[in-house]
Amino acid sequence: MDKILEGLISSAHTLPVKKAIVKKVVEAAEKEVAAEECQALFAVTTRLVLLGEDAFQKQVGFQVLEAYARYHRSQFEAFFSKDFVLGLLQQGYEQLDHQDPAVVDYIHCGLRLLISCPAVLDLFTVVQVEVLRMVCERPGPAACARLAALLSDFVQCVPRDKGGVLFCQQLVRTIGYFHCLASQEQELGEYVTQVTKVSTLLQNIWKAEPATLLPSLQEVFAIISSTDPSFEPSIALASLVQYIPVQMITVLIKSLTTDQNVKDANMTKALCRMIDWLSWPLAQHVDTWVIALLKGLAAVQKFTILIDVTLLKIELVFNRLWYPIVRQGALAVLSHMLLSFQHSPEAFHLVIPHTVHLVQSLQADGLPTSKAFLLQFTELIHCMMYQYSGFPDLYDHILEAIKDLPKPSEEKIKLVLNQSAWTSQSNSFASGPLRQAGKSETGKTGLVNLGNTCYMNSILQTLFMATDFRRHVLSLRLNGSSTLMKKLQMLFAFLAHTQRAAYAPKNFLEVSRPPWFNAGSQQDCSEYLRFLLDRLHEEEKIIQVLESAKPSVPTDAVDSNSKDASTATSLEEREASSPKVDDNDRRTLIERTFGGKLVTGIRCTHCDCVSEKEEPFTDLSLAFCPSRDASKSDESKSDESKVCQGSVNGGSETLMPGTNDQASHAHAIPESNEPPLSVPDLVDYFLAPEILDQENAYFCGKCCSLRRAERTLKVMSAPEYLILTLLRFAYDAKCHVRRKILDNVTIPPHLRLPVHRPSMPSPPPPPASSPPPVDSSESSENLAKKLKPSRRDEEVQSVRYVLSSVVMHSGVSSESGHYYSYGCDNAAQGDATCPKEDLNQGEQVREGPSGQAGGAVPPSDWLLFNDSRVTFASFQSVQNITSRFPKDTAYVLMYRKQEVVGQDAIKGPATSGTRQSAEPPLQKELLDAIIKDNKLYLQEQELNARAQALQAPSSSCSFRPNGSDDNNPPGSCGPSGGGGGGGGGGFNTISRLVF
């Protein structure tokens, strides 16, 4: 028999002859064989199995061994003894190393042949000890795969208790040493199969012994967090992720991110290596774990790690998108990394050079999966370009490549960005002060109350919500950094793009506070608004004068001088980004946006002589009507002069047209059964004729004596934004105190303002009756002694406005209380224009020169700005605030002009050049300032979280590297303001694997 086997080993016979001989040998196993001969036969077959020169010889060895062991069990049991197996596992076989996969296969075969023998129990004990020692020696993936197959068939050989924990940990570490050096498809596939077998073994052990799972995961983290430069863990560790229960994500991430023993350098390394796992082809849930860890780090404000890892790995993650087998998981991670990295465009700009090529490749692919993926990818790109506009040189070619693909709506983009920012990740792991006060769900930024500065905060938020004004301010090219407009531009940029929940406007307060305002004391917001607009207007006027005084530089001269050329370029850029206005229009931005013209006319009832004076205005101060008592005659009603606002806490003493200095005796309107006043009522009262008589008699220049007269007010030019101030603070002459009128005033969503416009020119009258010529320079002077123009020379048009913002005052006097504001978030969208034919549909137009357009209420995209706090609100809350909280009353209202299109349409703002249809891109100077402050804010949050975490209890599981606001009234005004915070899959395409 020995000679027969030796003949099989030799190569003298052909393959058919060899197979015939093997068949005879196997058939001879059924015959009686002496013990000595069996032992010799087992030795020969063992040698053939372990040292065979080719696969055929090894196969012959296994066939003969199995045949004789089956029919001669006792002889094989004596041969395959405990000592023999121990020798194989410790010393190998002749020149064969003990870690060789053939040794493990031979022992596996022997155990299978002896499974029903009692002696196999002793063999299990030996193997159980030796496999632990073997994995500690870091065998290769082939040997580990054979070992995994052995232990999967014979679970009795798996170490138990502490030995089991240690075995799992060492097997994990062994996987960390698996490195694939193969480059051929077959070799790559074999490597992946081997790793999968080993990871499946760990999964089975974790299921049978749950206590081994956590120590195994700790070992995984210890490996991937190692900062040893001489060791780089294998991405084969990714094969373990799919076997970790997804339900453990919250517990493990909590332990990982709150463990004080985990240093930043270790966490950075671990996160980078987990991101590398996206290259592993068959692993599932890797993206889920990576994103969970990123969110966990953001929740505990470890922003430095997130910044470093994102910038280091963003291009690698992007490159994974080229490989279909790992594409979807890579996109999930890429989306989260880009959308959360909102303090700077740096990460997005790193992947821009590769974007168009990828889009073109996906479009050329034509596969349904590629098309679906492309839609997801382009949505991400649109979000990022929206977040960081202002780089047309970088984005133009991208827009061209994706122009035929659908674009998400602006509302969806804002929602995605708001939910994805690091600062929006709630910390569910901490409690109390460790929880982060992130930006509100509205996505808007509040303003920190710097000590009774709610009067400023409410006005600034109102101006910010004036969409056209905000866009023009942001688009201005301003040279000086010390101007008030530059400070306002910077403030608007921060309100639009900062990641802080609330921004502290310290610099703006210093330059915009009126000199007579005492620091730290409550002031009047209307007075502040008027001062602010006046300052901005005068500042721009001065700049215009200075620029007009500069000599113009011819084009030829500019080309011949580099300095002049740069100046010309700067001017061209400024003109390109400035609002498109008429070249002859020298009005300032304040005039174009808030400016209107009002004509005050006084007619002597004795001689009909008319004196008119035209004045500009930026706001209309509306007095409250006197008591509407039916018993009073119309004449007695008209005798009651209209009230004016006295100075509020050292406020403006300037009287609006239609008021007089002796009519400051306003008091609260008595309660009555009459309908409540509305804003149109106050506008009508403001524009109603007023009789001047007795002590208020008018001195007529023509009569040269005091005469009874009629004073009228006419709006000659309607502003783009109509500001209305309700004069609620008045002086009570009887009690000698300043009181607040608490009457509820109905606020309509739409308003019509009567505007007098010159009618079509008529043939000139005969020379004898023609009025004297009027010099244009006298247009703003008192035109006394001029005849009153005929009514046919003017026509009254009703200009439609939609409500944009409302400033509320909470309190009973001007010296105390609190200001907050409501703003409509879609003032620049659906309500910007309306057809003329829709004006009268479903409306009940009020009688009188002004009225409420009672059409549909504006959409409920209303926000409540209460210092640091910004919440969602509704138009109903704006209308009902005083009925629910009697001390909270509307004070300053801002209406936005609507453009009416259609037949006989009112020529709206489209011709005025003050409307912009989109947010302007941020200038580099503003963007750099915001990026710098956003990074500073993230560092502040991180430092605060670290300081607070030192006082928090240690985590139970250590991962050491070495082992709407409608229900509550607003709060009082103070330093704290109204809020806080400053701040599986198939394995088919091996060639497309990524390692």
Side-chain angles (χ1 to χ4, degrees):
M1 188 64 68
D2 294 344
K3 292 180 180 181
I4 295 176
L5 291 176
E6 289 177 0
L8 288 175
I9 296 176
S10 68
S11 57
H13 303 284
T14 61
L15 185 60
V17 174
K18 289 182 179 182
K19 290 183 177 181
I21 296 174
V22 171
K23 183 177 181 182
K24 292 182 179 181
V25 172
V26 171
E27 291 175 352
E30 302 178 9
K31 299 178 181 179
E32 196 70 34
V33 181
E36 295 80 3
E37 189 176 353
C38 274
Q39 292 292 327
L41 182 64
F42 289 141
V44 172
T45 54
T46 298
R47 180 180 180 84
L48 195 62
V49 168
L50 296 175
L51 301 178
E53 295 180 357
D54 53 34
F56 176 75
Q57 292 182 358
K58 293 178 181 292
Q59 182 182 8
V60 169
F62 274 116
Q63 289 178 349
V64 175
L65 180 66
E66 290 179 359
Y68 277 83
R70 184 179 301 112
Y71 291 103
H72 307 280
R73 183 68 56 87
S74 58
Q75 288 85 353
F76 183 71
E77 184 178 353
F79 174 80
F80 201 77
S81 64
K82 176 179 177 182
D83 294 335
F84 178 71
V85 171
L86 187 62
L88 286 176
L89 291 173
Q90 290 184 350
Q91 293 144 19
Y93 186 84
E94 297 184 8
Q95 72 270 22
L96 196 66
D97 188 81
H98 67 281
Q99 290 187 358
D100 194 284
V103 173
V104 181
D105 282 344
Y106 178 78
I107 296 176
H108 190 181
C109 178
L111 293 176
R112 189 170 63 249
L113 294 172
L114 295 178
I115 189 62
S116 60
C117 298
V120 77
L121 298 177
D122 293 334
L123 295 177
F124 287 162
T125 304
V126 172
V127 175
Q128 193 178 68
V129 175
E130 290 303 313
V131 294
L132 178 57
R133 181 190 56 79
M134 182 181 292
V135 296
C136 292
E137 295 176 352
R138 311 289 175 251
C144 277
R146 307 290 171 80
L147 189 62
L150 186 155
L151 296 178
S152 297
D153 286 347
F154 299 100
V155 294
Q156 302 91 335
C157 296
V158 178
R160 303 295 181 192
D161 302 327
K162 293 182 179 180
V165 173
L166 182 59
F167 175 78
C168 290
Q169 290 178 317
Q170 292 301 319
L171 188 55
V172 166
R173 186 161 289 273
T174 298
I175 297 175
Y177 281 88
F178 288 175
H179 292 288
C180 181
L181 303 177
S183 58
Q184 299 300 317
E185 179 178 333
Q186 183 177 357
E187 295 173 337
L188 288 172
E190 186 177 349
Y191 171 75
V192 173
T193 302
Q194 292 166 352
V195 174
T196 302
K197 288 181 179 180
V198 179
S199 60
T200 303
L201 170 65
L202 274 171
Q203 177 199 20
N204 296 333
I205 298 176
W206 292 342
K207 285 183 177 180
E209 299 289 339
T212 61
L213 176 57
L214 189 56
S216 301
L217 299 183
Q218 290 174 324
E219 189 67 22
V220 172
F221 183 75
I223 295 170
I224 64 176
S225 63
S226 172
T227 56
D228 183 1
S230 63
F231 172 66
E232 184 60 35
S234 169
I235 66 168
L237 287 169
S239 63
L240 301 177
V241 176
Q242 58 190 326
Y243 302 124
I244 304 173
V246 179
Q247 299 87 339
M248 293 187 65
I249 287 182
T250 301
V251 176
L252 295 178
I253 298 300
K254 172 183 177 180
S255 301
L256 195 59
T257 56
T258 59
D259 190 345
Q260 298 301 312
N261 298 299
V262 179
K263 306 302 180 184
D264 284 1
N266 301 110
M267 182 62 76
T268 302
K269 277 289 186 182
L271 186 52
C272 285
R273 285 163 174 160
M274 285 182 67
I275 292 174
D276 291 340
W277 291 353
L278 291 170
S279 300
W280 188 255
L282 300 183
Q284 301 176 14
H285 311 307
V286 172
D287 57 315
T288 304
W289 281 92
V290 171
I291 293 174
L293 185 52
L294 291 171
K295 289 182 176 181
L297 291 171
V300 294
Q301 293 96 56
K302 293 189 176 182
F303 302 118
T304 300
I305 298 176
L306 293 171
I307 292 173
D308 293 343
V309 170
T310 301
L311 295 178
L312 187 63
K313 291 295 182 179
I314 193 73
E315 292 180 277
L316 182 143
V317 176
F318 187 90
N319 289 335
R320 302 307 92 181
L321 302 181
W322 289 95
Y323 303 94
I325 198 169
V326 297
R327 175 178 289 165
Q328 205 62 46
L331 179 63
V333 175
L334 179 72
S335 298
H336 181 80
M337 294 176 76
L338 287 178
L339 292 171
S340 61
F341 199 91
Q342 294 186 15
H343 70 283
S344 164
E346 186 176 2
F348 178 50
H349 288 178
L350 285 174
V351 303
I352 281 181
H354 320 292
T355 301
V356 173
H357 190 23
L358 177 62
V359 171
Q360 293 172 344
S361 175
L362 292 170
Q363 290 174 331
D365 194 337
L367 296 176
T369 54
S370 298
K371 292 181 179 178
F373 176 82
L374 184 58
L375 293 177
Q376 295 175 306
F377 179 69
T378 52
E379 182 175 305
L380 170 64
I381 298 301
H382 277 299
C383 288
M384 298 313 300
M385 291 191 295
Y386 178 89
Q387 173 70 9
Y388 291 109
S389 58
F391 299 91
D393 54 323
L394 297 178
Y395 302 160
D396 277 347
H397 62 296
I398 298 178
L399 287 174
E400 180 64 25
I402 63 177
K403 63 181 180 180
D404 298 328
L405 297 170
K407 178 182 179 181
S409 64
E410 186 173 353
E411 292 75 13
K412 183 177 181 180
I413 291 176
K414 289 180 178 180
L415 178 64
V416 170
L417 290 171
N418 186 42
Q419 293 176 343
S420 304
W422 289 334
T423 50
S424 68
Q425 305 303 319
S426 60
N427 184 359
S428 59
F429 310 145
S431 60
L434 191 58
R435 289 188 177 273
Q436 178 183 355
K439 185 177 289 189
S440 76
E441 60 182 350
T442 65
K444 298 295 183 181
T445 303
L447 288 170
V448 177
N449 193 305
L450 303 175
N452 284 324
T453 59
C454 60
Y455 67 90
M456 176 185 71
N457 291 349
S458 59
I459 291 300
L460 293 179
Q461 295 286 20
T462 297
L463 292 176
F464 181 80
M465 295 303 289
T467 311
D468 302 316
F469 178 65
R470 178 184 75 243
R471 290 172 176 171
H472 280 284
V473 169
L474 290 175
S475 66
L476 292 174
R477 296 281 180 176
L478 303 171
N479 295 325
S481 60
S482 59
T483 63
L484 183 60
M485 182 63 80
K486 186 67 176 182
K487 301 288 186 183
L488 182 63
Q489 186 183 60
M490 186 67 72
L491 175 64
F492 280 179
F494 271 92
L495 284 178
H497 298 283
T498 185
Q499 289 205 339
R500 296 181 184 272
Y503 178 73
K506 297 178 182 178
N507 294 334
F508 192 79
L509 174 63
E510 294 174 358
V511 298
S512 68
R513 182 170 53 206
W516 59 88
F517 276 21
N518 296 324
S521 61
Q522 180 63 282
Q523 306 293 343
D524 179 64
C525 74
S526 175
E527 185 181 1
Y528 174 80
L529 172 61
R530 190 172 299 164
F531 175 81
L532 177 61
L533 296 182
D534 286 345
R535 276 278 310 277
L536 293 170
H537 166 72
E538 294 299 331
E539 183 179 88
E540 187 174 350
K541 278 291 187 184
I542 293 174
I543 294 176
Q544 288 178 355
V545 171
L546 294 177
E547 288 183 350
S548 63
K550 295 179 181 180
S552 59
V553 182
T555 305
D556 297 339
V558 170
D559 295 337
S560 62
N561 188 293
S562 61
K563 293 184 178 179
D564 293 341
S566 63
T567 302
T569 302
S570 177
L571 290 175
E572 289 174 1
E573 291 177 354
R574 178 175 179 177
E575 292 173 358
S577 61
S578 297
K580 298 291 187 286
V581 296
D582 189 353
D583 294 338
N584 297 323
D585 189 356
R586 300 294 295 172
R587 295 181 300 163
T588 65
L589 177 60
I590 301 301
E591 289 177 305
R592 296 194 304 271
T593 307
F594 304 105
K597 290 183 180 179
L598 197 69
V599 169
T600 304
I602 302 179
R603 181 182 64 86
C604 176
T605 58
H606 181 73
C607 66
D608 274 350
C609 179
V610 176
S611 172
E612 289 188 342
K613 182 180 181 180
E614 184 178 275
E615 294 178 316
F617 70 90
T618 54
D619 72 308
L620 299 180
S621 297
L622 305 182
F624 280 75
C625 313
S627 177
R628 295 173 289 178
D629 191 343
S631 63
K632 293 184 180 181
S633 64
D634 294 338
E635 183 176 352
S636 63
K637 289 182 182 180
S638 63
D639 288 342
E640 296 188 31
S641 301
K642 290 187 283 182
V643 297
C644 68
Q645 179 187 20
S647 60
V648 180
N649 197 24
S652 172
E653 300 294 344
T654 305
L655 299 176
M656 285 301 300
T659 65
N660 60 74
D661 55 357
Q662 299 179 7
S664 58
H665 54 276
H667 54 277
I669 301 176
E671 294 183 2
S672 68
N673 294 326
E674 296 180 4
L677 285 172
S678 68
V679 173
D681 288 329
L682 300 184
V683 174
D684 291 347
Y685 181 65
F686 176 80
L687 298 174
E690 178 185 5
I691 300 300
L692 305 179
D693 197 6
Q694 298 178 4
E695 65 272 13
N696 292 329
Y698 167 68
F699 182 84
C700 177
K702 184 176 181 180
C703 298
C704 297
S705 63
L706 293 173
R707 296 293 187 183
R708 195 173 195 266
E710 181 186 61
R711 177 163 60 183
T712 59
L713 295 174
K714 293 184 294 185
V715 179
M716 305 300 295
S717 176
E720 296 300 321
Y721 282 90
L722 175 64
I723 302 175
L724 304 175
T725 301
L726 309 188
L727 300 179
R728 290 189 174 275
F729 303 113
Y731 181 73
D732 190 333
K734 294 182 180 179
C735 302
H736 303 286
V737 293
R738 303 177 64 80
R739 289 184 176 176
K740 177 182 177 182
I741 301 174
L742 296 173
D743 288 11
N744 189 10
V745 176
T746 302
I747 302 174
H750 298 90
L751 184 72
R752 286 177 173 177
L753 182 69
V755 178
H756 295 253
R757 301 176 185 272
S759 64
M760 296 298 294
S762 58
S769 61
S770 56
V774 178
D775 185 47
S776 60
S777 63
E778 298 178 358
S779 60
S780 61
E781 301 296 332
N782 188 354
L783 303 180
K785 303 178 182 179
K786 296 184 188 285
L787 297 178
K788 180 180 180 181
S790 174
R791 289 186 179 271
R792 70 173 187 267
D793 294 336
E794 331 180 305
E795 62 179 14
V796 180
Q797 293 182 341
S798 183
V799 179
R800 184 183 176 95
Y801 285 88
V802 63
L803 187 63
S804 173
S805 300
V806 181
V807 178
M808 298 286 183
H809 177 266
S810 177
V812 295
S813 72
S814 60
E815 288 78 16
S816 63
H818 178 59
Y819 290 105
Y820 59 96
S821 64
Y822 288 95
C824 186
D825 197 24
N826 66 343
Q829 299 175 12
D831 291 323
T833 62
C834 64
K836 179 70 177 290
E837 57 269 19
D838 291 344
L839 288 179
N840 297 318
Q841 292 182 3
E843 297 181 350
Q844 295 179 356
V845 183
R846 296 176 56 87
E847 295 181 0
S850 69
Q852 171 183 352
V857 175
S860 58
D861 296 331
W862 282 82
L863 302 171
L864 171 59
F865 298 92
N866 198 336
D867 286 335
S868 299
R869 190 175 182 217
V870 185
T871 55
F872 285 114
S874 65
F875 182 69
Q876 286 70 25
S877 65
V878 179
Q879 289 184 315
N880 301 331
I881 188 70
T882 303
S883 61
R884 288 166 38 240
F885 305 105
K887 293 188 296 183
D888 293 24
T889 56
Y891 185 36
V892 177
L893 298 86
M894 183 178 291
Y895 281 86
R896 181 176 188 263
K897 184 191 288 186
Q898 283 189 300
E899 178 186 2
V900 183
V901 296
Q903 186 177 6
D904 300 328
I906 299 174
K907 297 300 182 181
T911 59
S912 64
T914 62
R915 290 280 164 99
Q916 286 190 349
S917 59
E919 295 292 335
L922 277 185
Q923 302 167 34
K924 184 179 185 303
E925 180 184 4
L926 300 176
L927 182 60
D928 290 345
I930 292 171
I931 291 174
K932 181 179 179 181
D933 185 73
N934 281 343
K935 189 172 183 179
L936 177 62
Y937 167 65
L938 296 176
Q939 292 171 346
E940 292 171 357
Q941 295 294 102
E942 184 170 357
L943 289 176
N944 291 337
R946 290 176 184 275
Q948 295 171 9
L950 292 176
Q951 303 174 1
S954 60
S955 59
S956 59
C957 169
S958 174
F959 276 84
R960 295 177 176 84
N962 301 319
S964 112
D965 194 51
D966 288 344
N967 297 321
N968 299 318
S972 62
C973 180
S976 62
F987 181 72
N988 300 321
T989 53
I990 300 296
S991 60
R992 306 215 65 181
L993 300 187
V994 191
F995 293 97

